[in-house]
Amino acid sequence: MLHPFDSVTDVEIVITSKLLKQMHGDACLFFSQIDRLEPIKSEAIKYLEAERYGGKLPWIPRRTYAYYYVNNQMPLYKSIVNASEKRVESSKPVPGGAIGPLQPDGMAAVEIAAVDHPIVKAEIAKLQLEKLSFHHPQLGKLSYKVICEPWMYGSDSPNDKVPLIQCYMYMGVDHPDSNHYSIPLKFSPVFEYLTKRFVRMDYLPSGADEKFIKETFPLHKVDPIVEYHPELIEDWKPRDGLKPLQVVQPEGPSFKVEGTKVTWQGWEFRVATNVREGFALYDVHFKGRSLFYRVALNEMTVPYGDGRPPFHRKQAFDLGDCGFGNSANSLALGCHCLGVIKYLDTRRSDARGNPVLIPSTVCMHEQDYGILYLHKNYRNDRSVVTRRREFVVQTIATVANYEYVVNLVFDQAGAITVQVRATGILSTMPNDPNTVTDFGTIVGPGVTAAFHQHLLNFRFDTRLDGDKNTVVYDDYMPMDEKLPHNQYNVGFRQKRTFVDRSGPVDQSPFTNRTYKVINENSINPVTLKPVGYKFEMPAKQMILASPNSYNVKRAHYATKQFWATKYHDDQLYAAGEFTNQSQKDTGLSIWADGSEDVRNADTVIWATLALTHPPVTEQFPVMPSDFLQFLVTPASFFDKNPALDVPLADNNFNRSVYYDDSQDAASSTSGCCQPKV
Amino acid sequence: MLHPFDSVTDVEIVITSKLLKQMHGDACLFFSQIDRLEPIKSEAIKYLEAERYGGKLPWIPRRTYAYYYVNNQMPLYKSIVNASEKRVESSKPVPGGAIGPLQPDGMAAVEIAAVDHPIVKAEIAKLQLEKLSFHHPQLGKLSYKVICEPWMYGSDSPNDKVPLIQCYMYMGVDHPDSNHYSIPLKFSPVFEYLTKRFVRMDYLPSGADEKFIKETFPLHKVDPIVEYHPELIEDWKPRDGLKPLQVVQPEGPSFKVEGTKVTWQGWEFRVATNVREGFALYDVHFKGRSLFYRVALNEMTVPYGDGRPPFHRKQAFDLGDCGFGNSANSLALGCHCLGVIKYLDTRRSDARGNPVLIPSTVCMHEQDYGILYLHKNYRNDRSVVTRRREFVVQTIATVANYEYVVNLVFDQAGAITVQVRATGILSTMPNDPNTVTDFGTIVGPGVTAAFHQHLLNFRFDTRLDGDKNTVVYDDYMPMDEKLPHNQYNVGFRQKRTFVDRSGPVDQSPFTNRTYKVINENSINPVTLKPVGYKFEMPAKQMILASPNSYNVKRAHYATKQFWATKYHDDQLYAAGEFTNQSQKDTGLSIWADGSEDVRNADTVIWATLALTHPPVTEQFPVMPSDFLQFLVTPASFFDKNPALDVPLADNNFNRSVYYDDSQDAASSTSGCCQPKV
């Protein structure tokens, strides 16, 4: 029997699309998205309690949601289907003319239609590609081709009532791995997403201001392509000397996966893939104590700082517009992670409502990451040393040019590191020779990469020691200099502030402001204060666009780093349920308006991880991972270090060896903390 | 023949102490510190140029410095010895009554003398330890003992003219691994460091204010000890299920170490241990281009926020007062790092001037840390994936209760991560029952840990593409809304500011301020701007004590995160050469006073890494590593990604396996990017 948190199944996708097709008679349905609907929390909690403490499991029907268009026209429909009982619970047009998320098949179709459209063909013809070729020393003569990169249209007015696609056009050599981002062309057709109707041809500015000329990329100066693939890099030679480093687990892994249930080193949770978020964790416990009901990356917006039309509309909502699960990479052994690997799959619906398998979208594995803790009694040189073993849940999404590596990393002491790596290829624009701007970086001949930001939001549905939690923040400040116990003016103290109403908390790095979730009903017997977990987030620049810009109206969550709201079913995504071409945020701007009491309540945390990204040449043609991360760690939640039961490090266990070969096997496998003298 | 950067040798230590003893006739010399003196940079540069580009190596004599006292009296002497020519170049009392760094042997001697002193014995007698015992279920009957923890005295007045030691007293069971920090006693004798003369008995406050009673720890309430060692934790059981995870390098490591010269994946540098800093890197190059002349952690101060005398004097300068090399752990195979490990040793002088070997104080090894870069062409699912291999230079210092793990981590794309882990045991104070304060955390029965800060300073002697470098900082701000190329108000731009004079740069996280070192004489052919490296440091709270406190006067460097000075020989340590009981900073407060031009000059960077540390219960009795780090990464220094020559990931190389056993060997060793379907 399926667990309420298990991912959607092929059967459920088919049931859903079939029921809806029947309901709409012989109309043509275009499915934007089908996935499992989250169970009602109050019911799920009963289920989890029965699961954990015994008792009869309550019956929770499996339900799905579907977004679809009828006969390729607005409006967008949203339906809720009870898959267990095979019936449509509800189905109606989404109010307000909301536009649905983009469907991978739909994007591919636009890509094909675009290059096939006579007006686009006419522009391409001007390139006279047939007269062009490139001689590659290893691959010989390569011809050129044009590539269409369809983009979500974004927003700059309330007049765009139908789904649109902005096609950025590039040129590459005729090889599947050619880096077309190296040669952006200067024309950009706009199409209707559903009908493939041609809307308009935009021409791109390539200077320091908004001006452009209606020119296609001129034939006489094709810049050399900066390629990233070894096959295409001329005279590529591998860097010398990299020897294998293998992660070997002779006795197998330390984790156990049963269905969606994962257990590792005191941690217990469920992990389920979905098309929008990639994956979500549920019912997270450590050492038998409840921490979170649900944890997931729920949105990311990527606004560009290039104000020149049409670039001003470049604002992706990678989860809401595209879906991280839809965009997930199929991860491969020994490539995306090392060791003993457990993979999970994602299932999505195609435009016709048929299930599509995306294999191995989530990998789970262990890694060693140095020292967990150590202490040496200097009086006798006796030490305790433990290694930090980590458990990683990883997914990787490719959203057109960019890749995002999302890692939730668990340690043995109750801490979670939320780590995101940004990699892949910069989104590029054509650049006139010797044109230097203050909003972009020239990353190759004739090509520039505009400054932009990545603003990710992680939702933590907290459940520390129970359903009622409170958000506080602690500041650290000098003691009053007149205090008798501060006569030397060195003292400093903690000041705690309670968050009573739903809303954001401002950043304050210079008071070392620390956000915490506490349970006022659960007092730590040692500190005599409520137990808690802290969210350690570095102070960051939030969204830079003007408050009166569409970028900010659509992504209100990106204006603050930390938010608290009261739990409500269906409040899952920071920028709202529908982001594609949205006019405004329908998420935290409404839910975190201060109208609800969040103290000692069913509280949800929304943490925004921000990166302002002015590109550098080292990030082209493909960028080494840029790291963003924050920590979620116990803050006097346990009565002492919960990792005191971790066995001490020992080389009989870890089997490391000395650099040179002079030492004998005995010493190289001796127990711990016997240095080589 | 020794290289100018090679660590001091036993012979050089002996030559130094012998020459000075001869010079002082039959006086008794107490050596505070002997080590190699840095070569004069202008000479060393000539040597490095000859080494790299050919030509005769200039002769650079090996020189040492020595700090010592004559007949256990002030003043402190400083001598420079030419070890190559076996002659004393200079020797004189240090002006201003400076006090020398603490000598491990000297501290041990005080520890013994203290518990042996009649007045201290009288206090201990009141404990009636003989009537006390503890029954341990595994170890049986254990008696109690008193432990003395000698502390640097710190400063609170100009009247302390001789070296002093504050002895904090603790109680533990009679076992070498007992956690005495769990039972702090309430009396604290002060001794003269050199003569062991008793100065005064302090009694410790244990309430919410400065008041104390002259009571020794009362017999009738010995709190249970919170132990950290498995042998002492009652009924300790190892956590289930941790299976071996072994780092195996069947073909050996990818790095080469010849003497002090290290080469790895395009990196070249020298690494040498020393007693004050632990180690320093020299002549750092990547892919044949010069980056830094010298890199080292040069100081750390740990001021406590507990204003109650005598705790107000708790301000350690772990490098200046004690020495990270002096305090270094001897690292062991499979414990402090995994894989194929190369170790380096440290040599120090004892109080009599004899060499002492501290084996394996630095370990060097490789680790895998996930994905370096990847991109998938979503049109055909073809990917490039490279693994991020790292090279780590690590040292670990134990300064009484605390441990610091210092890692300099190199990647394959020209970036350095400076990472420090704070672990070990919190410095504790006695705490009255049910006494909760706003400046400390109760971490166990009768024991509290005061809030404190760790402020580390890393010195980068920059040499990007040559001797003349410039410090700039870039801020990111919205474009003017009236600009024609910002009509939709989404644009943002970079504003660059040059640092012309020596001094600090203020933090500005909300403009995403980024510190950079550039070379104005070396223009990047792609960006058409000067090449550079950036220092990515999260915004942090700096030292919290009042500007008129001794804590701040002594550690001016800790008031700002980032400093630039002009290079001068002998300007190595941020708080000055002599920190023990110092009255004021003699480092950056003088060198970074704005009096020197640092633009396009021989510039030195001083980066302060700060952590405000309010303890939590999870950090007792031993704390899981707390991480502090910053990144030093190329910022348009190279013309493109310098890691394009890294071979693509491949499971024939990495040999990972699937979680379950159902798959066949073939698929588990297939090449890269073939997901399991």
Side-chain angles (χ1 to χ4, degrees):
Chain A
M1 192 188 104
L2 287 168
H3 190 280
F5 296 145
D6 285 351
S7 302
V8 71
T9 64
D10 290 349
V11 172
E12 290 169 335
I13 290 171
V14 171
I15 288 171
T16 304
S17 58
K18 199 151 156 258
L19 285 170
L20 294 170
K21 284 176 190 165
Q22 285 165 0
M23 191 178 73
H24 285 278
D26 53 11
C28 158
L29 267 49
F30 179 100
F31 288 94
S32 174
Q33 199 165 91
I34 297 176
D35 207 342
R36 176 180 62 93
L37 188 72
E38 288 295 320
I40 293 157
K41 185 178 178 182
S42 55
E43 292 176 9
I45 293 287
K46 293 195 193 79
Y47 189 101
L48 297 175
E49 297 294 304
E51 216 175 23
R52 182 166 293 272
Y53 306 109
K56 186 173 178 310
L57 294 176
W59 162 249
I60 297 181
R62 297 273 303 180
R63 297 154 81 215
T64 60
Y65 69 89
Y67 305 140
Y68 60 96
Y69 300 94
V70 179
N71 298 326
N72 289 332
Q73 290 164 9
M74 289 291 282
L76 175 74
Y77 282 76
K78 178 182 179 180
S79 297
I80 306 297
V81 170
N82 184 321
S84 306
E85 297 163 14
K86 297 193 174 45
R87 59 182 178 81
V88 177
E89 287 190 1
S90 69
S91 178
K92 44 180 170 314
V94 180
I99 289 169
L102 298 163
Q103 152 68 262
D105 312 358
M107 293 295 269
V110 172
E111 201 170 322
I112 291 158
V115 288
D116 212 45
H117 192 282
I119 298 173
V120 179
K121 276 179 153 168
E123 287 289 351
I124 295 173
K126 296 181 195 162
L127 297 169
Q128 300 179 52
L129 295 185
E130 64 283 0
K131 292 190 183 167
L132 275 177
S133 73
F134 172 73
H135 181 79
H136 188 286
Q138 287 75 39
L139 303 173
K141 186 180 171 192
L142 295 169
S143 57
Y144 285 92
K145 64 180 176 186
V146 165
I147 294 98
C148 168
E149 188 105 339
W151 261 71
M152 59 284 289
Y153 189 74
S155 273
D156 63 4
S157 91
N159 305 328
D160 304 315
K161 306 283 192 197
V162 298
L164 298 170
I165 298 294
Q166 179 102 39
C167 295
Y168 288 106
M169 309 297 289
Y170 296 89
M171 226 173 102
V173 292
D174 192 9
H175 184 289
D177 295 310
S178 180
N179 177 25
H180 58 269
Y181 301 99
S182 185
I183 306 189
L185 301 175
K186 295 189 179 180
F187 60 99
S188 174
V190 176
F191 286 89
E192 282 188 17
Y193 171 69
L194 294 170
T195 62
K196 317 292 183 293
R197 230 178 262 121
F198 175 86
V199 176
R200 180 180 80 243
M201 183 67 76
D202 289 338
Y203 292 88
L204 306 181
S206 52
D209 58 28
E210 75 289 358
K211 297 185 187 62
F212 62 89
I213 45 176
K214 293 192 173 188
E215 74 167 346
T216 304
F217 195 91
L219 185 58
H220 60 278
K221 50 178 169 74
V222 176
D223 293 307
I225 300 180
V226 185
E227 300 284 8
Y228 62 82
H229 198 289
E231 245 181 79
L232 281 159
I233 298 170
E234 297 178 51
D235 308 311
W236 184 83
K237 277 178 210 57
R239 182 180 295 192
D240 287 342
L242 190 70
K243 307 277 182 64
L245 185 150
Q246 294 159 0
V247 175
V248 175
Q249 301 181 263
E251 299 173 22
S254 313
F255 60 91
K256 202 168 65 180
V257 183
E258 299 150 296
T260 51
K261 179 77 183 288
V262 176
T263 52
W264 177 79
Q265 290 291 292
W267 289 95
E268 299 168 75
F269 53 79
R270 289 186 178 267
V271 54
T273 57
N274 69 62
V275 294
R276 182 158 182 161
E277 300 168 313
F279 69 87
L281 302 186
Y282 296 89
D283 195 29
V284 180
H285 282 64
F286 183 67
K287 290 208 151 186
R289 287 171 67 183
S290 172
L291 301 180
F292 303 105
Y293 173 73
R294 190 180 193 277
V295 177
L297 168 66
N298 72 85
E299 192 52 272
M300 169 167 62
T301 188
V302 184
Y304 282 71
D306 184 343
R308 303 170 302 168
F311 302 128
H312 71 286
R313 277 197 314 270
K314 287 181 84 169
Q315 180 186 24
F317 287 84
D318 294 85
L319 278 70
D321 292 358
C322 303
F324 250 39
N326 279 333
S327 314
N329 284 226
S330 289
L331 308 179
L333 208 56
C335 299
H336 302 89
C337 35
L338 303 187
V340 179
I341 318 298
K342 169 65 182 176
Y343 293 96
L344 303 176
D345 304 331
T346 296
R347 273 161 177 85
R348 67 175 181 89
S349 160
D350 69 12
R352 299 285 149 248
N354 307 310
V356 177
L357 170 74
I358 315 173
S360 304
T361 54
V362 168
C363 63
M364 298 190 285
H365 71 281
E366 291 174 272
Q367 63 192 19
D368 175 276
Y369 193 50
I371 281 156
L372 176 62
Y373 60 78
L374 79 96
H375 178 63
K376 183 185 82 170
N377 185 341
Y378 68 83
R379 295 164 186 81
N380 51 34
D381 278 354
R382 289 171 61 108
S383 297
V384 292
V385 186
T386 56
R387 299 293 302 175
R388 177 184 169 94
R389 184 77 63 93
E390 298 181 330
F391 180 74
V392 184
V393 183
Q394 171 172 275
T395 193
I396 301 174
T398 295
V399 187
N401 54 297
Y402 260 126
E403 266 77 11
Y404 301 96
V405 181
V406 178
N407 281 195
L408 294 187
V409 183
F410 299 82
D411 76 6
Q412 295 159 298
I416 304 172
T417 302
V418 178
Q419 185 184 72
V420 177
R421 301 182 193 210
T423 176
I425 303 183
L426 297 159
S427 181
T428 55
M429 295 84 170
N431 196 60
D432 297 339
N434 305 317
T435 302
V436 176
T437 72
D438 61 359
F439 56 81
T441 306
I442 307 172
V443 293
V447 59
T448 192
F451 299 170
H452 57 279
Q453 297 183 285
H454 304 269
L455 300 123
L456 302 88
N457 189 276
F458 288 85
R459 181 179 178 278
F460 287 77
D461 187 343
T462 68
R463 201 162 178 250
L464 265 61
D465 273 354
D467 295 320
K468 295 199 179 310
N469 288 176
T470 299
V471 173
V472 300
Y473 54 92
D474 292 330
D475 294 291
Y476 299 85
M477 49 200 48
M479 283 179 189
D480 183 336
E481 296 197 4
K482 288 177 292 300
L483 285 173
H485 62 277
N486 189 33
Q487 53 191 289
Y488 294 94
N489 307 327
V490 301
F492 64 92
R493 64 185 185 87
Q494 180 189 82
K495 177 174 174 292
R496 170 157 292 188
T497 309
F498 288 81
V499 176
D500 291 318
R501 315 292 295 174
S502 60
V505 179
D506 283 320
Q507 300 182 75
S508 180
F510 305 130
T511 60
N512 194 46
R513 180 166 294 177
T514 315
Y515 316 120
K516 291 178 184 158
V517 179
I518 65 171
N519 185 329
E520 297 184 77
N521 318 298
S522 176
I523 303 303
N524 185 311
V526 174
T527 62
L528 311 176
K529 294 177 178 176
V531 301
Y533 256 68
K534 71 179 161 184
F535 287 66
E536 271 181 55
M537 306 187 71
K540 289 290 184 181
Q541 181 174 47
M542 293 290 116
I543 191 165
L544 264 159
S546 158
N548 60 37
S549 67
Y550 275 94
N551 283 9
V552 172
K553 287 180 193 148
R554 302 175 69 203
H556 183 64
Y557 81 84
T559 60
K560 302 284 180 181
Q561 183 175 61
F562 198 79
W563 304 77
T565 63
K566 186 171 181 190
Y567 177 86
H568 293 285
D569 289 321
D570 305 323
Q571 291 185 4
L572 285 170
Y573 312 118
E577 186 174 7
F578 299 102
T579 58
N580 189 18
Q581 288 177 228
S582 63
Q583 301 288 314
K584 60 182 194 330
D585 164 307
T586 55
L588 287 178
S589 60
I590 298 164
W591 310 330
D593 64 355
S595 64
E596 292 190 294
D597 190 343
V598 294
R599 181 156 179 182
N600 203 24
D602 187 356
T603 303
V604 177
I605 295 309
W606 307 76
T608 309
L609 198 53
L611 171 69
T612 299
H613 184 189
V616 295
T617 44
E618 287 80 6
Q619 297 173 329
F620 198 72
V622 58
M623 66 181 276
S625 295
D626 221 340
F627 290 78
L628 298 77
Q629 68 175 37
F630 67 97
L631 303 181
V632 182
T633 66
S636 299
F637 185 76
F638 299 97
D639 63 350
K640 59 179 175 177
N641 180 347
L644 293 175
D645 55 355
V646 170
L648 301 186
D650 184 331
N651 202 38
N652 294 320
F653 188 79
N654 291 326
R655 300 271 165 197
S656 294
V657 299
Y658 291 111
Y659 168 78
D660 58 43
D661 304 308
S662 62
Q663 85 294 340
D664 55 343
S667 67
S668 77
T669 58
S670 68
C672 187
C673 305
Q674 303 308 323
K676 179 189 180 194
V677 184
Chain B
M1 192 188 104
L2 287 168
H3 190 281
F5 296 146
D6 285 350
S7 303
V8 71
T9 64
D10 289 350
V11 172
E12 290 170 336
I13 290 171
V14 171
I15 288 171
T16 304
S17 57
K18 197 148 159 263
L19 285 171
L20 294 170
K21 285 176 189 165
Q22 284 166 1
M23 192 179 70
H24 285 279
D26 53 12
C28 158
L29 266 50
F30 179 100
F31 288 94
S32 174
Q33 200 166 91
I34 297 176
D35 207 342
R36 178 181 62 93
L37 188 72
E38 289 294 321
I40 293 157
K41 185 178 179 182
S42 55
E43 292 177 9
I45 293 286
K46 292 196 193 79
Y47 190 100
L48 297 175
E49 298 293 302
E51 215 176 23
R52 184 166 291 273
Y53 306 109
K56 188 175 177 306
L57 293 176
W59 162 248
I60 297 181
R62 296 271 305 177
R63 296 154 80 215
T64 61
Y65 70 88
Y67 305 140
Y68 59 96
Y69 301 95
V70 179
N71 297 327
N72 289 332
Q73 290 164 10
M74 291 290 284
L76 174 75
Y77 283 76
K78 177 181 180 180
S79 296
I80 306 297
V81 171
N82 184 321
S84 305
E85 298 163 12
K86 296 193 175 44
R87 60 182 178 80
V88 178
E89 287 190 2
S90 69
S91 179
K92 43 181 174 313
V94 180
I99 289 169
L102 297 163
Q103 152 69 261
D105 312 357
M107 294 295 270
V110 171
E111 200 171 323
I112 291 157
V115 289
D116 213 44
H117 191 282
I119 297 173
V120 178
K121 276 179 154 166
E123 287 288 353
I124 295 172
K126 296 181 195 162
L127 297 169
Q128 299 180 53
L129 295 185
E130 65 284 358
K131 293 190 183 166
L132 275 176
S133 73
F134 172 73
H135 182 80
H136 188 285
Q138 286 75 38
L139 302 173
K141 187 180 171 192
L142 295 170
S143 57
Y144 285 91
K145 63 180 176 186
V146 165
I147 294 97
C148 167
E149 188 104 339
W151 261 70
M152 60 283 290
Y153 188 75
S155 274
D156 64 4
S157 92
N159 306 328
D160 304 315
K161 305 283 191 196
V162 297
L164 298 169
I165 297 295
Q166 180 101 40
C167 294
Y168 288 105
M169 309 297 291
Y170 295 91
M171 229 172 98
V173 292
D174 193 10
H175 184 290
D177 296 309
S178 181
N179 176 26
H180 58 268
Y181 301 98
S182 185
I183 306 188
L185 300 174
K186 295 190 180 180
F187 60 99
S188 174
V190 175
F191 286 88
E192 282 188 17
Y193 171 68
L194 293 170
T195 62
K196 317 292 182 294
R197 231 178 260 123
F198 174 87
V199 176
R200 179 180 81 241
M201 182 67 76
D202 290 337
Y203 292 89
L204 306 181
S206 52
D209 59 26
E210 75 291 357
K211 298 186 187 63
F212 61 89
I213 44 176
K214 293 194 173 188
E215 75 168 344
T216 303
F217 195 92
L219 185 57
H220 59 277
K221 51 178 169 78
V222 176
D223 292 307
I225 301 180
V226 185
E227 301 283 8
Y228 60 83
H229 198 288
E231 245 180 78
L232 281 159
I233 297 170
E234 297 178 52
D235 308 310
W236 183 84
K237 277 179 207 56
R239 181 180 295 193
D240 287 343
L242 191 70
K243 307 278 181 66
L245 185 150
Q246 293 159 1
V247 175
V248 175
Q249 299 180 266
E251 299 173 22
S254 314
F255 60 92
K256 201 167 67 180
V257 183
E258 299 150 296
T260 51
K261 178 76 182 289
V262 176
T263 51
W264 177 79
Q265 289 291 292
W267 289 95
E268 301 167 73
F269 52 79
R270 289 186 179 269
V271 54
T273 58
N274 69 61
V275 295
R276 182 159 182 161
E277 300 169 313
F279 69 87
L281 303 186
Y282 297 88
D283 195 28
V284 180
H285 282 63
F286 183 66
K287 290 208 151 185
R289 287 171 67 184
S290 172
L291 301 180
F292 304 105
Y293 173 73
R294 191 180 192 276
V295 177
L297 167 66
N298 71 86
E299 192 52 273
M300 169 168 61
T301 189
V302 184
Y304 282 72
D306 184 344
R308 303 171 302 168
F311 302 128
H312 70 287
R313 276 197 315 270
K314 286 181 86 168
Q315 179 185 25
F317 286 84
D318 294 85
L319 278 71
D321 293 357
C322 303
F324 251 40
N326 279 333
S327 314
N329 285 227
S330 288
L331 308 178
L333 208 57
C335 298
H336 302 89
C337 33
L338 304 187
V340 178
I341 319 298
K342 169 63 181 177
Y343 293 96
L344 302 176
D345 303 330
T346 296
R347 276 163 174 86
R348 66 176 183 91
S349 161
D350 69 12
R352 299 286 148 248
N354 307 312
V356 177
L357 170 74
I358 315 173
S360 303
T361 54
V362 168
C363 64
M364 298 190 284
H365 67 99
E366 291 174 90
Q367 64 192 19
D368 175 276
Y369 193 51
I371 282 157
L372 176 62
Y373 60 79
L374 79 95
H375 178 63
K376 183 184 82 169
N377 185 341
Y378 68 83
R379 296 164 186 81
N380 52 34
D381 279 355
R382 290 171 60 107
S383 298
V384 292
V385 185
T386 55
R387 298 294 302 174
R388 178 185 168 94
R389 184 76 64 91
E390 298 181 329
F391 181 75
V392 184
V393 183
Q394 171 173 276
T395 192
I396 301 173
T398 295
V399 187
N401 53 298
Y402 259 126
E403 266 78 11
Y404 301 95
V405 181
V406 178
N407 281 196
L408 294 188
V409 182
F410 300 82
D411 76 7
Q412 295 159 297
I416 303 173
T417 303
V418 177
Q419 186 184 73
V420 178
R421 299 180 194 211
T423 177
I425 303 184
L426 297 159
S427 181
T428 55
M429 295 84 170
N431 196 60
D432 297 340
N434 306 316
T435 302
V436 176
T437 71
D438 61 0
F439 55 81
T441 307
I442 307 172
V443 293
V447 58
T448 191
F451 299 170
H452 57 279
Q453 298 183 284
H454 304 268
L455 299 122
L456 301 88
N457 189 276
F458 288 84
R459 181 179 178 277
F460 288 76
D461 187 341
T462 68
R463 201 162 178 249
L464 264 62
D465 273 351
D467 295 320
K468 296 201 179 309
N469 288 178
T470 298
V471 174
V472 300
Y473 55 93
D474 291 331
D475 295 291
Y476 299 86
M477 48 200 49
M479 283 180 189
D480 183 335
E481 295 197 5
K482 287 176 292 302
L483 284 175
H485 62 276
N486 188 34
Q487 54 191 285
Y488 293 94
N489 306 328
V490 301
F492 64 92
R493 65 186 184 86
Q494 179 190 83
K495 177 175 175 292
R496 170 157 293 188
T497 310
F498 288 81
V499 176
D500 292 317
R501 315 292 295 174
S502 60
V505 178
D506 283 319
Q507 300 182 76
S508 180
F510 304 129
T511 60
N512 195 44
R513 181 166 294 176
T514 315
Y515 317 120
K516 290 178 184 157
V517 179
I518 65 171
N519 185 330
E520 297 184 78
N521 319 297
S522 177
I523 302 303
N524 186 310
V526 174
T527 62
L528 310 177
K529 293 177 177 177
V531 301
Y533 255 69
K534 70 180 164 187
F535 286 67
E536 271 181 55
M537 306 187 70
K540 290 288 184 182
Q541 181 174 48
M542 294 290 116
I543 190 165
L544 264 159
S546 157
N548 60 38
S549 67
Y550 274 95
N551 283 10
V552 172
K553 287 180 194 147
R554 301 175 69 203
H556 183 63
Y557 81 85
T559 60
K560 302 283 180 181
Q561 183 177 62
F562 198 79
W563 304 77
T565 63
K566 187 171 182 191
Y567 178 86
H568 294 285
D569 289 322
D570 306 325
Q571 292 186 3
L572 286 170
Y573 313 117
E577 186 174 7
F578 299 102
T579 58
N580 189 19
Q581 288 178 229
S582 63
Q583 302 287 314
K584 59 179 195 329
D585 164 306
T586 55
L588 288 179
S589 59
I590 297 164
W591 310 330
D593 64 355
S595 64
E596 292 190 293
D597 190 343
V598 294
R599 181 157 178 180
N600 203 25
D602 188 356
T603 302
V604 178
I605 295 308
W606 308 75
T608 310
L609 199 53
L611 172 70
T612 299
H613 184 189
V616 295
T617 43
E618 287 81 5
Q619 295 172 331
F620 197 73
V622 58
M623 65 181 276
S625 295
D626 221 340
F627 289 78
L628 299 77
Q629 69 175 36
F630 66 97
L631 303 181
V632 183
T633 66
S636 299
F637 185 75
F638 299 97
D639 63 351
K640 60 179 174 176
N641 180 349
L644 293 175
D645 55 354
V646 170
L648 301 186
D650 185 330
N651 201 38
N652 294 319
F653 188 80
N654 291 325
R655 301 271 165 196
S656 294
V657 300
Y658 290 111
Y659 168 77
D660 58 44
D661 303 308
S662 62
Q663 83 294 340
D664 55 341
S667 68
S668 76
T669 58
S670 67
C672 187
C673 304
Q674 303 309 322
K676 179 189 181 194
V677 185

